[in-house]
Amino acid sequence: MRRLPPLRSLEAFVRIAKLGSAKAAASELALSPPALSRRIKALEDFMGKPVFDRKAQAMVLNADGQALLLAIEPALEAMADAIDDLSGQGGEYRLRLGVLPLFGTQRLIPRLPELRKLFPKLHIDVDTSAHAENLLGDVVDAAIIIADQVDPRLYSVRLDRNNVYAITSHDLATSAKLGTPADLKNQTVLVHSDMPLIFDAWRNAVGQPKLKPAAIDHIDSGPLMLEAAANGLGVAIMHGSHLTDAKDDRLTRLFDVEVESPYSYWFVCRPRALKQRAVRIFHDWLVKSEI
């Protein structure tokens, strides 16, 4: 058998290539930056050529790196599939699922007992990393993401359509006398970091395209956005279902206007992942359940 480079080096290479960041890859692999660099050096020493161009703090795939990624990624996925099949021989199936925290707490976890009753041998490992679509085939088998559009190379199912609400605390709504959208000019607006288009869509739809609030604060967590709004730290521009599902008496919706969101929740995976029993079981249940 021909000699191969260390599997750990290949894993580190693929993580950096997929995540686009050595720092993010080191975090995913629970490695220090020097340890990650050693793994990449071992791969490059084995190949006798660099696979990344080093630019300041960034590592960018060069032509040889692109060719290597295209060549080994299918083989690594096939290896992962084989291990999954073997590990399921005893009747237990495991799904590695990427889920955003707010969807997980509000919509998925409360319904999982239903799935457990139907398929008691199915076990789910949950990863709440952002941009889980970039981890498909590596860290996770499938993911539930929120996006305005999905990479056409992925298999995807839209899980909902939503309206955008302006959400804040009862106390702030009363004390600041927030009666019309124009009144937000003196308020802090809270926007999710992964949904940058949502505030523009909302203010255009309510007839205030030039509305400039006192500040716009970005938060990368839906639960934290709701908590910030409940504590009067600003007005959250987010999906109405998040308010409804929160069932938080501290929160209220401002302004009786319907604004369609440019974002939806999607189930995504690589097309070949649907051949995995755990992915197929979860996919079919999720779509049928209309969570």
Side-chain angles (χ1 to χ4, degrees), residues 115-137:
L115 181 61
R116 177 61 60 84
K117 288 181 180 179
L118 293 171
F119 300 96
K121 296 294 186 179
L122 175 64
H123 293 269
I124 301 176
D125 295 328
V126 174
D127 188 304
T128 59
S129 302
H131 305 292
E133 64 272 25
N134 296 328
L135 308 178
L136 290 170

Side-chain angles (χ1 to χ4, degrees), residues 15 43 66 90 93 95 103 107 111 127 154 167 191-192 210 230 241 257 260 264 268 273 281:
R15 292 284 179 92
L43 175 62
Q66 291 281 4
Y93 290 86
L95 171 68
F103 186 96
R107 297 171 62 173
R111 298 289 296 276
D127 188 304
L154 298 177
I167 302 167
V191 175
H192 198 288
K210 297 183 179 180
S241 63
V257 291
E260 184 176 355
S264 294
V268 296
I281 288 173

Side-chain angles (χ1 to χ4, degrees), residues 59-95:
M59 295 177 66
V60 181
L61 279 178
N62 60 23
D64 288 321
Q66 291 281 4
L68 177 63
L69 182 64
L70 288 174
I72 70 170
E73 192 173 15
L76 291 175
E77 288 188 6
M79 187 186 304
D81 289 346
I83 292 172
D84 284 343
D85 289 342
L86 290 171
S87 65
Q89 284 183 349
E92 177 182 304
Y93 290 86
R94 188 165 296 276
L95 171 68

Side-chain angles (χ1 to χ4, degrees), residues 136-273:
L136 290 170
D138 186 12
V139 178
V140 299
D141 305 308
I144 296 171
I145 65 172
I146 196 164
D148 57 328
Q149 57 186 356
V150 177
D151 186 333
R153 294 172 297 180
L154 298 177
Y155 172 83
S156 62
V157 177
R158 188 193 297 269
L159 299 179
D160 69 358
R161 293 185 183 275
N162 229 305
N163 288 326
V164 183
Y165 284 10
I167 302 167
T168 192
S169 67
H170 286 283
D171 291 343
L172 181 60
T174 301
S175 62
K177 299 179 180 179
L178 302 178
T180 68
D183 294 331
L184 295 193
K185 65 183 180 181
N186 298 318
Q187 301 300 318
T188 295
V189 166
L190 308 175
V191 175
H192 198 288
S193 304
D194 294 334
M195 301 171 69
L197 303 177
I198 198 166
F199 184 48
D200 284 343
W202 182 83
R203 61 184 168 185
N204 287 333
V206 300
Q208 296 287 330
K210 297 183 179 180
L211 174 65
K212 292 185 178 181
I216 299 177
D217 291 352
H218 293 87
I219 301 177
D220 69 354
S221 164
L224 287 181
M225 280 187 67
L226 287 173
E227 191 62 26
N231 281 278
L233 296 180
V235 177
I237 305 298
M238 59 194 307
H239 284 176
S241 63
H242 295 151
L243 173 64
T244 304
D245 293 338
K247 298 180 176 63
D248 190 330
D249 293 337
R250 299 172 298 169
L251 293 168
T252 187
R253 172 190 176 187
L254 300 173
F255 325 127
D256 188 17
V257 291
E258 297 294 326
V259 178
E260 184 176 355
S261 175
Y263 296 94
S264 294
Y265 280 112
W266 300 78
F267 170 89
V268 296
C269 67
R270 295 188 177 184
R272 68 193 311 273

